[in-house]
Amino acid sequence: MGENNPKPSAGVWPTVKPFLNGGASGMLATCVIQPIDMIKVRIQLGQGSAVEVTRNMLKNDGVGAFYKGLSAGLLRQATYTTARLGTFKILTNKAIEANDGKPLPLYQKALCGLTAGAIGASVGSPADLALIRMQADATLPLAQQRHYTNAFNALYRISSEEGVLALWKGAGPTVVRAMALNMGMLASYDQSVEFCRDSLGFSEAATIIGASSVSGFFAAACSLPFDYVKTQIQKMQPDSQGKYPYTGSLDCSVKTLKSGGPLKFYTGFPVYCVRIAPHVMMTWIFLNQIQKLEKSVGL
């Protein structure tokens, strides 16, 4: 949705603002949602149900285990979410201008979401890889654990030990997942805001909550299969002969389909949906509050 500015703004701030706002809102949401994300990853790695994973984490590692990889999660938001939300805002504003200020049809919002997701994932893929590895580290045998101290240590060691291009390992499924997630999240949110506000007459708070809930569900449903494949690719280790279990995302998809059927791709869907929906909701809420604060101080 475009904003009607009473007067044109000069300088770089109007261009930079959507990116900074997007990154800040995503980072704030991640601070709240990190424990659920940690549980989701361990479920996908075959550590048991949500209850079993939670109990074992508390028993073996304490509360700190739920925030393992937080630095990588924040770095991911500072790159991925900054790029995708900022790009989506600019793309939709340009499209609205081309449409003479009229609301965009759903397919145009979906195309903007797909493009923003691809750009954001390409920028944020190294941080995403570091996050997955840090979260999965405790599930590996002691001899295979990498013991990264923080996100920057992980990025440095990956690039020095495996080569710079290894930072984009799994980038293919990461980009595809991001395109699916952002198509579901961004397009459905804008469409739901218009419906809740204009057709149902909801208040601002109810509109944000309702649209965010719809957005979170569609983001989860569209992206989980790609997220599952991405996680398997990024956390894989070579065997004693140096051979990896999968040659790529397509090979992983085919083997997963053969071994577990289509529903295998939706392993951990309840927790994934619970993780995605609140994160989406809080991201939009934080974003709206940040924009209100900026307006109040004339930014």
Side-chain angles (χ1 to χ4, degrees):
M1 296 176 294
E3 293 179 3
N4 296 320
N5 296 318
K7 58 182 178 179
S9 300
V12 298
W13 175 242
T15 302
V16 172
K17 182 167 70 169
F19 293 91
L20 293 180
N21 290 352
S25 61
M27 292 173 75
L28 289 170
T30 292
C31 290
V32 179
I33 217 68
Q34 179 71 11
I36 299 177
D37 191 39
M38 187 70 194
I39 294 171
K40 183 267 297 183
V41 170
R42 293 207 175 188
I43 289 174
Q44 289 185 329
L45 296 178
Q47 299 297 303
S49 67
V51 174
E52 292 170 338
V53 167
T54 302
R55 183 171 59 245
N56 290 335
M57 289 174 66
L58 285 172
K59 180 180 178 181
N60 298 330
D61 302 303
V63 176
F66 293 96
Y67 289 91
K68 183 88 171 181
L70 179 60
S71 61
L74 293 175
L75 179 61
R76 179 177 182 270
Q77 295 299 318
T79 52
Y80 166 61
T81 299
T82 296
R84 67 177 176 134
L85 290 186
T87 301
F88 181 75
K89 184 69 173 177
I90 289 177
L91 289 175
T92 52
N93 282 348
K94 292 294 184 182
I96 289 172
E97 288 178 12
N99 202 30
D100 297 325
K102 299 176 184 177
L104 299 179
L106 182 59
Y107 82 90
Q108 289 187 6
K109 295 173 184 174
L111 288 175
C112 290
L114 285 169
T115 304
I119 294 172
S122 298
V123 174
S125 187
D128 191 59
L129 174 63
L131 173 62
I132 292 294
R133 286 198 176 185
M134 291 179 72
Q135 290 179 326
D137 203 45
T139 69
L140 299 173
L142 187 61
Q144 296 181 9
Q145 292 182 10
R146 300 179 175 95
H147 300 292
Y148 299 134
T149 55
N150 54 56
F152 295 103
N153 175 253
L155 294 175
Y156 171 76
R157 285 179 51 189
I158 291 170
S159 60
S160 61
E161 296 169 7
E162 305 172 43
V164 174
L165 291 181
L167 293 172
W168 279 269
K169 182 179 292 183
T174 297
V175 170
V176 174
R177 170 198 178 269
M179 291 173 70
L181 186 148
N182 283 278
M183 180 184 68
M185 170 186 171
L186 301 176
S188 66
Y189 177 78
D190 264 15
Q191 197 72 19
S192 297
V193 165
E194 292 175 9
F195 179 74
C196 292
R197 182 193 59 204
D198 301 333
S199 299
L200 300 180
F202 283 3
S203 65
E204 180 182 359
T207 294
I208 294 173
I209 293 173
S212 298
S213 300
V214 173
S215 175
F217 175 81
F218 279 103
C222 292
S223 65
L224 181 54
F226 304 102
D227 183 79
Y228 180 87
V229 171
K230 174 184 71 71
T231 300
Q232 301 305 310
I233 293 293
Q234 289 182 329
K235 65 94 176 180
M236 64 181 179
Q237 292 254 12
D239 58 20
S240 57
Q241 284 77 41
K243 183 179 179 181
Y244 285 94
Y246 308 114
T247 59
S249 57
L250 181 60
D251 182 53
C252 177
S253 300
V254 171
K255 289 180 178 178
T256 300
L257 188 62
K258 288 182 178 179
S259 63
L263 292 181
K264 183 69 174 177
F265 293 103
Y266 282 90
T267 299
F269 179 73
V271 172
Y272 184 74
C273 193
V274 167
R275 182 263 177 196
I276 288 292
H279 191 281
V280 168
M281 183 181 300
M282 285 183 287
T283 298
W284 292 125
I285 291 174
F286 282 129
L287 182 57
N288 274 271
Q289 292 303 310
I290 290 171
Q291 290 172 340
K292 283 184 178 180
L293 178 61
E294 288 172 344
K295 287 182 180 179
S296 69
V297 297
L299 292 176

